[in-house]
């Protein structure tokens, strides 16, 4: 019993002391790779700080990691899933859109599924200060 309690307390202390995962300018990339990265960050209890000039595509999924903060100056770029800019089948498009949306705060996920995902070329740009103003993200100190 003592070992179990010690392990639990040690785990909480380790999470509280976790160094932040700082995101510098990030234009996105593979959805599978980002899912693995986010899973690792969550498991380690690392807070996320988005501080770069841009956070596009799969980078925006960090917004759903608990405790994430953003720079008001960061420009977030949203677009729907594709395979290197080529459209996916309707079934895959819907599936991967929902995977991405599941990493966004509620109203942002709703917007993404209704509008944001339908842009395949280019991105919808939203300033970090706007996400903060709308209560969709908190500002980094």
């Amino acid at each position: 019993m003592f070992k179990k309690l010690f392990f639990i307390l040690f785990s909480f202390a380790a999470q509280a002391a976790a160094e932040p995962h700082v995101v510098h300018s990030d234009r996105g990339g593979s959805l599978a790779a980002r899912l693995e990265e986010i899973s690792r960050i969550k498991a380690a209890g690392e807070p996320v700080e988005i501080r770069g000039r841009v956070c596009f595509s799969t980078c925006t999924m960090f917004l759903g990691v608990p405790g994430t903060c953003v720079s008001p100056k960061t420009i977030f770029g949203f677009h729907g899933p594709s395979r290197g800019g080529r459209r996916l089948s309707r079934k895959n498009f819907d599936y991967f859109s929902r995977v991405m949306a599941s990493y966004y705060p509620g109203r942002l996920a709703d917007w993404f599924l209704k509008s944001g995902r339908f842009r395949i070329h280019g991105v919808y740009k939203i300033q970090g200060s706007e996400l903060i103003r709308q209560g969709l993200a908190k500002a980094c100190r």
Side-chain angles (χ1 to χ4, degrees):
M1 179 69 168
F2 178 74
K3 283 185 177 181
K4 187 174 184 179
L5 181 61
F6 177 77
F7 177 75
I8 291 169
L9 291 174
F10 181 77
S11 295
F12 283 130
Q15 286 183 359
E19 289 293 315
H21 178 84
V22 179
V23 178
H24 301 285
S25 289
D26 185 330
R27 294 192 169 271
S30 161
L31 180 59
R34 188 68 72 183
L35 290 170
E36 286 180 25
E37 180 181 21
I38 290 173
S39 178
R40 181 194 57 76
I41 288 168
K42 283 181 169 182
E46 296 174 13
V48 176
E49 298 179 1
I50 303 173
R51 297 185 171 276
R53 191 175 62 77
V54 297
C55 177
F56 286 1
S57 190
T58 61
C59 175
T60 62
M61 293 167 58
F62 284 121
L63 291 169
V65 175
T68 293
C69 69
V70 304
S71 165
K73 295 179 181 179
T74 300
I75 298 170
F76 291 83
F78 298 86
H79 69 82
S82 69
R83 185 170 307 279
R86 290 173 285 147
R87 293 201 180 276
L88 302 174
S89 71
R90 185 180 252 348
K91 181 180 175 183
N92 284 341
F93 178 78
D94 190 55
Y95 174 77
F96 290 116
S97 293
R98 291 185 186 286
V99 168
M100 292 175 70
S102 73
Y103 284 81
Y104 297 144
R107 287 184 295 127
L108 186 59
D110 292 343
W111 167 82
F112 181 76
L113 289 173
K114 289 178 186 168
S115 301
R117 70 180 175 154
F118 295 107
R119 178 168 279 176
I120 300 299
H121 301 287
V123 294
Y124 287 105
K125 294 179 181 176
I126 302 174
Q127 190 91 23
S129 58
E130 183 62 18
L131 293 175
I132 295 164
R133 187 185 71 72
Q134 290 187 28
L136 298 170
K138 69 176 189 175
C140 295
R141 295 179 192 205

